[in-house]
Amino acid sequence: PLLSAVDDKSISPSGTDNPIVNALRVRRDLGQHSAVGLAYTDRIVGGDFNRVGSLDTRLVFARLYYFEAQVAGSWTRDSGVTKTAPLWEMTWDRTGRNWGFHYVLRGIDPDFRTDVGYVQRTGIVSGQIMNRITTYGSPGATIEQWETFYSFGGIWNYDDFWHFPAPLEGSANARSSLTLRGGWELGLTPEWSSVAFDPVFYHAYAIDTGTDTIPFT
């Protein structure tokens, strides 16, 4: 499908240009459950623009597994300055009766921008590792099902990630639940998390001592 629109001049910064918006999505099936797709969006306002192109795929194999990947790039001209930036993401998943996992790694460059769409946070690499183990009891047994999820996640500064530093944000949990005879359920979720303050966000901060200012650490 292709969507094109011309917006009102009052939406543009100058008030004299009609913003032009386009969004294109092309998708092709690969067998019964797999697919490959292409997406393109742009927003043009006078001499400025934001263009985003992406290629994505979802591959299902061996009945229990799927692999998803996406690579994208943005090209933005704003007030005569042009910037390009990438976005990438990979997901590997196994959905089995007794054992499953879900692994995700996603990176968004600080300069990535999409005016036709939404990206919650840029300048980071985020990753998650989740494993699930499920054990089933006999019908009528005291414990009919025992399920445990082990999860680890982290967020890194995009530019620092390639040096393998400690994450700015990290978390780990082990959620375990028991389903008992008669429909009763017991659950326990110990969890650990840590958040560090990125110095980049505070580089312009200072503390007023009354007679002088000192850098904020």
Side-chain angles (χ1 to χ4, degrees), residues 77-177:
R77 180 189 293 164
D78 192 355
S79 301
V81 179
T82 302
K83 293 182 178 181
T84 62
L87 175 152
W88 46 268
E89 180 177 4
M90 295 176 289
T91 302
W92 188 25
D93 183 278
R94 183 186 195 273
T95 306
R97 187 172 186 268
N98 296 101
W99 173 50
F101 59 73
H102 188 79
Y103 304 150
V104 181
L105 186 64
R106 177 187 301 112
I108 308 175
D109 187 274
D111 292 325
F112 185 86
R113 173 176 157 183
T114 172
D115 291 352
V116 185
Y118 177 68
V119 174
Q120 184 177 21
R121 184 177 177 183
T122 61
I124 60 170
V125 173
S126 60
Q128 182 185 37
I129 297 174
M130 189 275 288
N131 291 276
R132 172 185 54 82
I133 300 174
T134 307
T135 303
Y136 299 91
S138 303
T142 303
I143 299 177
E144 296 181 343
Q145 180 177 310
W146 180 14
E147 188 170 64
T148 303
F149 289 85
Y150 302 95
S151 179
F152 306 90
I155 295 178
W156 294 263
N157 182 286
Y158 187 91
D159 293 329
D160 295 337
F161 176 73
W162 314 108
H163 303 292
F164 305 104
L168 290 174
E169 301 175 25
S171 64
N173 66 69
R175 180 168 64 88
S176 187
S177 64

Side-chain angles (χ1 to χ4, degrees), residues 1-4 22-26 38-42 52 54 116:
L2 171 65
L3 173 67
S4 295
N22 296 286
L24 171 68
R25 173 63 172 169
V26 179
L38 175 69
Y40 173 81
T41 67
D42 65 28
V52 177
S54 72
V116 185

Side-chain angles (χ1 to χ4, degrees), residues 30-91:
L30 301 175
Q32 290 185 327
H33 305 291
S34 301
V36 62
L38 175 69
Y40 173 81
T41 67
D42 65 28
R43 186 173 187 269
I44 304 169
V45 186
D48 295 337
F49 61 79
N50 169 252
R51 300 186 175 109
V52 177
S54 72
L55 178 67
D56 61 272
T57 186
R58 177 185 173 92
L59 304 175
V60 180
F61 54 96
R63 297 190 303 172
L64 301 178
Y65 299 86
Y66 75 78
F67 174 78
E68 290 182 342
Q70 179 185 26
V71 290
S74 70
W75 296 262
T76 305
R77 180 189 293 164
D78 192 355
S79 301
V81 179
T82 302
K83 293 182 178 181
T84 62
L87 175 152
W88 46 268
E89 180 177 4
M90 295 176 289
T91 302

